Amino acid sequence: MKRVCIIGAGCSGITVAKRLKDYGISYDQFDASDDIGGNWYYNNPNGLSACYQSLHIDTSKWRLAFEDYPVPADWPDFPHHSQLLQYFRDYAAHFALRENITFNTKVEKAQRKPGGGWAVTLSTGETREYEALVVANGHHWAARIPEYPGRFDGEQLHSHSFRSAFEPVNCVGRRVLVVGMGNSAMDIASELSQRPIAQKLFVSTRRGVWVLPKYYKGQPIDKNPAPAWMPRSVRNAIGTRMIKSLVGKMSDYGLPEPEIGPLDAHATVSGEFLLRAGSGDVTMKGAIERLDGDGVVFKDGSKEQIDVIVWATGYDIRFPFFDDPSLCADADNRPPPLFKRIMKPEVPDLFYAGLSQPVPTLVNFAEQQSKLIAAYLAGVYTPPPIGEMHRIIKADEKYHTWHYYAARRHTIQLDFDAYVRDLLKEIAVGTRRAKAA
């Protein structure tokens, strides 16, 4: 019997696999697609990729590389999604990870056995048993579209399905509404608002947000962050002053003025959207009141004729292979309480990898988590008692999320640098616990 089952072969799944291999821990890895890459596999045949043709990652190359496999030196500061996918494939080839991955195979059900261990049922009909389970199925695939009264007669799609101005819906010469002001919304709105594309481009938002540029004094804005040891309040104060000095008021660009500070929401980063807005290529609208046949009525009573709606309204966190609701996200999109965002204290043979929205980087987030997962399975790390784990969970959640406004998109928010600093400390302490035991 293999010891571990890994669900998913995206960037989180492959880095956990690499760490298990380093420790000599046997594992199987399953992915519903025909290749690795997950969300970064453009036109992934499993239908779960959110990549659009023009997508460049918002994290600079200085912040996204795996520790033991540097990105190519000739990469631009903000690589295209195709470059990132090739990087993941090269990583898997370099560490010979493909031999343990079974492609075109979906995990249909993962059920915990009495006394521990997992029975994993595959799309082939086979059921295999494992000592431990690693969940790395991602959280940007279950598209969420809010419900509004009324009926819309035009075409509509979620940003997850958007590929270009022409596919799957031709937006050329049409009146397009983008709903939302997250990063995907900014990219899609910037692309479609160009005068040869949409006849008119509207953006609907319930609240004002700060749009951050990608560069500061000629350098990627995330290249030299404040040190993790600096108190959060000090870092936020410095960052807020810098951003306000850099971009001025959002109303100067014709955008609604935010009611919160620049760091009180998940960062919206765009090198182009403010230019488009300031150039008159974007028409801002408030929240939607209802859908109205060939148009949309907004909260201020205005109505706009709309041909296409692009819902850039986020995702639900889902684990479709679990029947146990205590292992899944709740109705407000909050995942179960997890120690260091990895372990459910009462289920010591289950690990979640990459389940977070870290600022600024996601790519090597699970690489950091893999250090604890592998050390635990190798017997060289011991977590604290269950009661202490719950106390730490509450303290960590307060630190990472308290200053964000209440929203589904902020339930898994996390400060990457502070998290890694605390995680490495915990691994060191847990190593001493293991030795003492």
Side-chain angles (χ1 to χ4, degrees), residues 60-94:
S60 74
K61 67 178 180 181
W62 314 100
R63 299 285 286 160
L64 59 77
F66 292 123
E67 289 180 352
D68 49 8
Y69 195 75
V71 300
D74 60 351
W75 264 18
D77 289 336
F78 297 96
H80 186 253
H81 65 76
S82 60
Q83 294 173 298
L84 200 56
L85 176 61
Q86 188 59 51
Y87 173 67
F88 295 147
R89 289 177 173 172
D90 292 344
Y91 176 89
H94 181 79

Side-chain angles (χ1 to χ4, degrees), residues 20 32 35 37 45 60 80 89 106 111 129 131 154-155 182 241 277 309 320 331 339 365 367 384 410 428:
L20 296 183
D35 206 340
S60 74
H80 186 253
R89 289 177 173 172
K106 186 178 180 181
Q111 192 166 17
E129 295 187 348
E131 292 181 26
E155 296 185 88
R241 284 200 302 270
I309 299 177
F339 178 67
F365 172 70
E367 180 184 31
H410 292 146

Side-chain angles (χ1 to χ4, degrees), residues 161-405:
S161 302
F162 180 85
R163 292 296 174 264
S164 72
F166 319 100
E167 183 187 3
V169 175
N170 190 344
C171 296
V172 176
R174 306 178 78 183
R175 296 169 67 87
V176 182
L177 172 65
V178 175
V179 182
M181 283 196 72
N183 290 301
S184 295
M186 296 296 93
D187 284 352
I188 294 170
S190 296
E191 181 173 341
L192 298 183
S193 65
Q194 298 178 65
R195 293 303 175 103
I197 307 297
Q199 180 190 113
K200 192 161 188 178
L201 191 286
F202 302 89
V203 172
S204 169
T205 179
R206 291 177 295 173
R207 58 178 63 88
V209 304
W210 290 88
V211 181
L212 281 57
K214 289 188 173 183
Y215 282 91
Y216 176 68
K217 293 185 177 179
Q219 295 294 320
I221 199 168
D222 64 5
K223 185 177 180 180
N224 296 300
W229 54 260
M230 184 179 289
R232 183 70 168 271
S233 58
V234 176
R235 280 191 290 155
N236 279 7
I238 294 173
T240 296
R241 284 200 302 270
M242 182 189 77
I243 291 168
K244 287 185 175 181
S245 174
L246 183 61
V247 299
K249 296 181 178 180
M250 291 296 100
S251 55
D252 292 339
Y253 305 90
L255 308 183
E257 201 63 46
E259 297 177 357
I260 57 175
L263 301 177
D264 294 338
H266 182 73
T268 295
V269 180
S270 175
E272 188 176 358
F273 183 77
L274 293 181
L275 172 62
R276 292 290 168 197
S279 300
D281 294 338
V282 175
T283 299
M284 296 301 303
K285 303 296 293 187
I288 293 174
E289 176 70 31
R290 69 180 188 276
L291 308 178
D292 193 27
D294 65 349
V296 174
V297 178
F298 298 90
K299 291 283 188 180
D300 62 2
S302 64
K303 176 182 176 178
E304 298 290 350
Q305 181 186 345
I306 301 295
D307 300 313
V308 180
I309 299 177
V310 180
W311 300 97
T313 45
Y315 298 86
D316 290 327
I317 298 171
R318 290 185 184 169
F319 308 108
F321 36 79
F322 286 147
D323 291 333
D324 185 349
S326 71
L327 305 181
C328 301
D330 64 17
D332 294 321
N333 223 35
R334 291 189 300 255
L338 301 176
F339 178 67
K340 298 304 174 187
R341 300 283 179 92
I342 302 170
M343 300 176 65
K344 185 173 170 62
E346 294 79 13
V347 189
D349 50 10
L350 172 64
F351 308 91
Y352 295 81
L355 182 57
S356 188
Q357 193 82 349
V359 177
T361 177
L362 174 65
V363 172
N364 66 344
F365 172 70
E367 180 184 31
Q368 307 304 319
Q369 294 183 311
S370 73
K371 298 173 182 178
L372 184 147
I373 296 170
Y376 178 90
L377 291 171
V380 297
Y381 165 83
T382 299
I386 288 179
E388 178 66 6
M389 291 172 78
H390 279 293
R391 186 197 67 78
I392 293 172
I393 290 171
K394 290 181 180 179
D396 284 352
E397 291 307 302
K398 181 178 180 181
Y399 177 85
H400 288 293
T401 64
W402 70 269
H403 63 294
Y404 292 102
Y405 68 84

Side-chain angles (χ1 to χ4, degrees), residues 4-29 66 68 91 95 97 100 132-137 342 351-355 363-375 377:
V4 184
C5 171
I6 302 175
I7 302 177
C11 61
S12 297
I14 60 175
T15 191
V16 172
K18 187 265 178 186
R19 189 76 54 178
L20 296 183
K21 189 172 183 179
D22 287 346
Y23 275 86
I25 298 170
S26 63
Y27 70 91
D28 286 331
Q29 189 167 11
F66 292 123
D68 49 8
Y91 176 89
F95 294 110
L97 302 178
N100 285 70
L133 181 69
V134 177
V135 175
N137 69 319
I342 302 170
F351 308 91
Y352 295 81
L355 182 57
V363 172
N364 66 344
F365 172 70
E367 180 184 31
Q368 307 304 319
Q369 294 183 311
S370 73
K371 298 173 182 178
L372 184 147
I373 296 170
L377 291 171

Side-chain angles (χ1 to χ4, degrees), residues 139-146 158-161 311 313-316 318:
H139 52 88
H140 284 125
W141 57 270
R144 180 176 181 271
I145 297 179
H158 192 275
S159 58
H160 183 270
S161 302
W311 300 97
T313 45
Y315 298 86
D316 290 327
R318 290 185 184 169

